Amino acid sequence: MRYLLSKNNLRALGPLAAGRVLLGFDFDGTLAPIVSQPERAAMGESTRELLGQLARRRPCVLISGRAQADALKRVRGIGFAEVVGNHGIEPWMASDRFLEEIQGWRASLEASLRRLPGVELEDKLFSLALHYRRCRNKEAAREAIERAAHSLAGARLVPGKMVVNVLPNGAPTKGEALAQARSRLRAETALYVGDDETDEDVFALGGPGLIGVRVGAHRDSRAGFFIRSQAEIDDLLEALLAVTPPPALPSTSSSRS
């Protein structure tokens, strides 16, 4: 991985200056800092302002693990071309089958984990998130959560930062969500920024038309580039604005009759 914001590596953003370009972002840990209470996560005002400027120049998409309604509320007014929730499921792949599976799994997990203090189960309709940030013994809590979740038929587990996500097998990944967004928006080139294990499904797409940027270096990441921490997101947005031309002003003409 290379540090994107170094003078030499910023040249990698050159392909974003022209053509059909798509910019994709995760929310938690990327556009907004990780917080102990997920419901309190929010972007800084400077991030919101820079992102709004960028969205007026290039189509931007948000691909979040949050439920779509939750994600929409947090980025209202910015101008995202698309907001995708539940790791890629919402809105296009939301189905009654996924909904029924999740509700059955919720009851099972609540029964299995009710004696494990500090675990918080977040129901996002089409996926579940089991947070263990508040557990005293985090390693033991994670192991207990994984044992309980592995017993669920047809479940896919995706680890995150102090969380285990439970999704239905067959549900799309964030990588598939970005690929579909590129197709819908006819983008030749895409940049995607994310910080977590679920974002690796995007980075794994690879190819010359994708610039993957991970928040925080990780030796096993498939992203080609990284920024050091979420605190550098504004620096990245400013760099993207620097290589992204503003929309052309409408031509004006006057005539006399």
Side-chain angles (χ1 to χ4, degrees), residues 53-208:
Q53 292 180 41
L54 201 56
R56 290 191 287 273
R57 300 185 185 189
R58 295 291 192 207
C60 295
V61 298
L62 184 76
I63 306 178
S64 173
R66 290 178 178 267
Q68 187 193 32
D70 185 5
L72 281 165
K73 177 178 65 177
R74 295 171 196 277
V75 298
R76 185 176 292 119
I78 288 175
F80 276 100
E82 295 182 1
V83 174
V84 180
N86 266 299
H87 307 281
I89 296 175
E90 292 181 295
W92 292 281
M93 292 297 290
S95 70
D96 289 341
R97 178 175 73 83
F98 291 160
L99 186 65
E100 291 168 3
E101 280 185 318
I102 290 300
Q103 295 313 303
W105 295 343
R106 172 176 178 162
S108 176
L109 289 171
E110 284 177 333
S112 299
L113 301 172
R114 66 177 181 270
R115 295 181 180 176
L116 191 60
V119 172
E120 298 178 8
L121 189 152
E122 182 184 3
D123 185 346
K124 296 181 284 187
L125 294 180
F126 299 101
S127 70
L128 298 171
L130 293 154
H131 302 272
Y132 57 92
R133 186 176 299 274
R134 297 184 183 180
C135 293
R136 179 170 296 180
N137 187 331
K138 294 177 175 54
E139 182 177 355
R142 178 182 53 79
E143 291 174 354
I145 289 169
E146 290 178 347
R147 282 195 301 272
H150 276 305
S151 70
L152 305 173
R156 176 166 66 95
L157 273 59
V158 182
K161 293 177 179 177
M162 302 295 174
V163 64
V164 176
N165 299 288
V166 183
L167 297 95
N169 275 333
T173 65
K174 284 187 174 183
E176 291 168 303
L178 184 75
Q180 291 165 7
R182 286 182 70 174
S183 177
R184 283 189 295 271
L185 297 168
R186 296 182 295 169
E188 301 161 346
T189 306
L191 174 140
Y192 181 81
V193 192
D195 76 306
D196 214 339
E197 190 68 27
T198 57
D199 300 302
E200 289 296 328
D201 289 320
V202 180
F203 303 144
L205 295 173

